Amino acid sequence: MDDIISLAKRRGFVYPGSEIYGGQAGMYDYGPYGVELLNNLKAAWWKTHVYDRDDFYGLDSAIFKDPRVWDASGHTSGFSDPLAECKKCNMRIRVDKELEKIGVTADEKMSEADLQRLFDENKDKLQCPKCGEKDFGPVRMFNLLVKTNMGDFTGEMAEPVYLPGEACQGIYLNFKNVVDTTPAKIPFGIAQIGKAFRNEISPRNFLFRTRELEQADTQYFIRPNENKDEYERIKQRRMDWYVAMGIRPENLRLKQHENLVFYAADAWDIEYNFPSYGFDELEGIHDRTDYDLTQHTKFSGTDLSYFDPQTNEKYIPWILETSVGMGRMFLAFLSDAYTEDEVNGEKRVYLRLPMELAPVKVAVSPLLKNKPELVAKAREVYTMLKKEFGAVAWDDNGNIGKRYRRQDEIGTPYCVVIDFDTLEGDTKDTVTVRNRDTTEQTRVRIEELPGVLAR
Ligand code: ATP
């Protein structure tokens, strides 16, 4: 993981947030190559869940919502993690996660007192991850919602407006709007990629647990109790998607939740085998029953039941949800693509990203940057390829070996080099194309380049 974090920084994928001020826990900024990979992942996800489906609709809901939304969803009362503070170094630990590390499962429904009892029973085995001390203060439930004073001019934050604890609430708020303004008929889905914020007690593991996150969610609205088969299909489709996008199947597994939140009928995680810390939750797949629309009907006073023209029945739809953090997805793809091999006796690092996800599709280089005839021809090729592929890089920095190594680390599938053979003789108007994964070089006619590279 350290190698991956270091490459992410060195090659302009991910920078620590507010770095010039010393960095801020749980915050990261995506650099020029990172934002490309992130956008490519979002586009691939959107294509599968919106464009490739005729029963799905897209949405982008506002971050700020009526504060009652978070009462209805249960977040103001129940969106809490148990916290304890080390008496020696003041490090705050998340009690359930520390218990998990020693093989003890804390039930999500446990009260503060029950958690304290479980914590005390295992006190000998728990130590502060920072200073190693075993002396902690009391277990307290800590609400993760982030409060803001949006629209509050008292100066006292008397009535806070919350940042979303989960992005999916925007979908429930617009269920009726989508039904009323599109041809949507149950069963149908709404897809959204939206921001969420959580006052995580201990942000950790790079992009895995951050305080600001983006969630790619699908909510599939179905008839009451018609959930079982569709739920199985959704689970399988999401697993297949990761594999189709290039994740090694052996790094993925499905795991069922042992303790369900009170309203859920079933819940599974897709886990990814993260380097250094192993299998952990990548995406949640939840059978949320009719809880969300029932709650919002109750709290808003707006009837969110649905009249089904096929069955002539009126009911509150059930919801099957998939939810994945884009940062966790980014980390999984970056980790899976990170490859070390040996070329001519030297260690090489490259990102084995598919063309669709690679931040740069092709890099174009003149062999020597001080030969105007090479540079002019290379510019022509660069302009042509840029029109075709968009994300094309001009790279004339350092010698060719250095350029290949740089592009390998960015994950650029092809490097095109314009040399003296491009300008004259039998090889006139041909260029060298170097393949990232095999390092093989072939000569291709310039006019055939777009077709060859696309294939
Ligand atoms: P965890 O148990 O790891 O805190 P969760 O069960 O609370 O996660 P959900 O509320 O189901 O997570 O959120 C759905 C998805 O959002 C998760 O599978 C994960 O990909 C992502 N996610 C949740 N919290 C974070 C976070 N703090 N940082 C990055 N991604 C997150």
Side-chain angles (χ1 to χ4, degrees):
M1 187 51 84
D2 285 344
D3 291 340
I4 290 165
I5 296 171
S6 146
L7 179 136
K9 171 81 202 295
R10 188 171 73 247
R11 289 298 179 209
F13 281 86
V14 181
Y15 308 126
S18 308
E19 194 182 12
I20 61 169
Y21 285 92
Q24 205 181 12
M27 294 294 172
Y28 292 93
D29 297 333
Y30 291 90
Y33 300 112
V35 69
E36 293 296 330
L37 175 55
L38 186 68
N39 285 345
N40 293 341
L41 282 167
K42 287 183 194 171
W45 183 91
W46 194 264
K47 180 178 177 303
T48 303
H49 293 99
V50 182
Y51 301 150
D52 291 353
R53 299 284 298 250
D54 44 25
D55 55 350
F56 256 89
Y57 298 83
L59 186 80
D60 185 15
S61 63
I63 285 185
F64 291 113
K65 294 170 171 65
D66 188 307
R68 286 172 297 176
V69 168
W70 305 107
D71 294 333
S73 67
H75 282 75
T76 42
S77 55
F79 189 48
S80 313
D81 283 337
L83 169 157
E85 197 168 314
C86 170
K87 281 190 177 161
K88 189 175 171 210
C89 73
N90 300 328
M91 166 93 178
R92 295 188 180 109
I93 61 158
R94 203 174 131 182
V95 170
D96 56 332
K97 294 288 170 191
E98 291 303 317
L99 285 168
E100 209 174 282
K101 280 188 200 162
I102 56 162
V104 178
T105 308
D107 193 318
E108 285 196 20
K109 287 166 250 174
M110 272 184 170
S111 66
E112 213 169 69
D114 287 341
L115 275 159
Q116 183 73 61
R117 214 166 300 125
L118 198 63
F119 191 64
D120 290 341
E121 278 166 24
N122 293 283
K123 229 168 185 164
D124 298 347
K125 286 175 259 164
L126 291 164
Q127 59 178 49
C128 172
K130 195 168 163 198
C131 71
E133 196 59 39
K134 290 185 169 180
D135 197 8
F136 293 94
V139 175
R140 284 179 295 131
M141 292 309 280
F142 177 76
N143 192 292
L144 304 185
L145 281 179
V146 178
K147 292 175 188 167
T148 78
N149 66 346
M150 207 271 297
D152 180 344
F153 304 105
T154 63
E156 289 151 13
M157 216 154 83
E159 292 189 356
V161 176
Y162 301 99
L163 292 178
E166 59 183 13
C168 59
Q169 293 298 326
I171 299 184
Y172 311 140
L173 302 188
N174 286 287
F175 164 74
K176 193 170 158 17
N177 279 334
V178 173
V179 169
D180 290 347
T181 56
T182 70
K185 296 267 177 301
I186 279 181
F188 76 92
I190 300 179
Q192 174 181 250
I193 300 177
K195 289 268 186 186
F197 302 82
R198 296 182 178 185
N199 236 338
E200 293 283 357
I201 294 164
S202 48
R204 63 182 172 94
N205 296 342
F206 194 34
L207 301 170
F208 182 84
R209 189 174 301 288
T210 51
R211 288 184 171 143
E212 174 182 339
L213 54 135
E214 227 173 351
Q215 289 177 313
D217 291 331
T218 65
Q219 308 287 324
Y220 202 60
F221 299 90
I222 52 167
R223 294 191 183 103
N225 293 309
E226 288 193 1
N227 50 338
K228 289 275 179 285
D229 293 349
E230 190 55 34
Y231 189 65
E232 290 309 311
R233 276 194 290 274
I234 289 174
K235 265 164 43 190
Q236 193 54 49
R237 270 196 225 115
R238 288 304 300 140
M239 285 291 275
D240 293 347
W241 184 81
Y242 285 108
V243 175
M245 294 307 299
I247 298 278
R248 292 178 174 87
E250 63 271 26
N251 284 336
L252 292 166
R253 72 179 186 200
L254 276 163
K255 190 174 165 208
Q256 189 168 26
H257 284 209
E258 282 171 28
N259 302 302
L260 292 175
V261 282
F262 66 92
Y263 57 81
D266 204 357
W268 289 70
D269 290 338
I270 294 181
E271 293 191 331
Y272 177 75
N273 188 13
F274 290 95
S276 305
Y277 47 90
F279 279 98
D280 210 333
E281 174 174 345
L282 168 62
E283 170 163 347
I285 302 176
H286 310 129
D287 182 342
R288 299 180 69 119
T289 66
D290 61 357
Y291 175 75
D292 304 285
L293 295 183
T294 303
Q295 285 295 98
H296 286 303
T297 297
K298 225 185 274 172
F299 279 71
S300 69
T302 305
D303 182 9
L304 297 178
S305 59
Y306 172 84
F307 176 75
D308 195 323
Q310 272 177 314
T311 60
N312 279 334
E313 279 172 316
K314 204 173 163 207
Y315 53 79
I316 297 267
W318 281 35
I319 296 176
L320 303 176
E321 166 187 72
T322 70
S323 181
V324 55
M326 286 308 307
R328 276 192 204 178
M329 191 199 279
F330 183 101
L331 183 57
F333 276 90
L334 193 65
S335 308
D336 223 78
Y338 183 93
T339 315
E340 290 178 0
D341 67 358
E342 218 173 79
V343 174
N344 302 329
E346 269 186 46
K347 184 185 142 189
R348 169 179 86 125
V349 172
Y350 70 101
L351 295 185
R352 197 187 46 91
L353 289 168
M355 185 84 159
E356 189 180 352
L357 296 182
V360 175
K361 313 299 178 197
V362 192
V364 179
S365 286
L367 182 65
L368 301 169
K369 70 173 175 186
N370 57 359
K371 295 286 174 202
E373 62 277 30
L374 286 182
V375 172
K377 194 71 192 168
R379 278 278 165 201
E380 254 177 52
V381 173
Y382 170 72
T383 308
M384 175 186 82
L385 291 178
K386 215 169 167 56
K387 267 195 209 130
E388 199 73 27
F389 296 103
V392 175
W394 175 264
D395 194 351
D396 62 4
N397 207 359
N399 66 33
I400 271 292
K402 278 215 178 97
R403 294 179 209 167
Y404 285 158
R405 266 197 299 282
R406 176 167 48 241
Q407 296 302 333
D408 282 347
E409 289 197 347
I410 294 168
T412 309
Y414 301 105
C415 288
V416 167
V417 178
I418 285 75
D419 55 23
F420 291 105
D421 290 341
T422 310
L423 304 179
E424 61 206 2
D426 295 347
T427 53
K428 191 167 175 343
D429 288 331
T430 66
V431 293
T432 300
V433 176
R434 182 224 185 228
N435 180 307
R436 175 197 64 202
D437 299 354
T438 62
T439 74
E440 254 170 37
Q441 302 184 14
T442 44
R443 280 205 90 82
V444 178
R445 296 195 62 73
I446 290 174
E447 65 194 38
E448 290 168 8
L449 257 183
V452 168
L453 294 175
R455 271 200 300 283

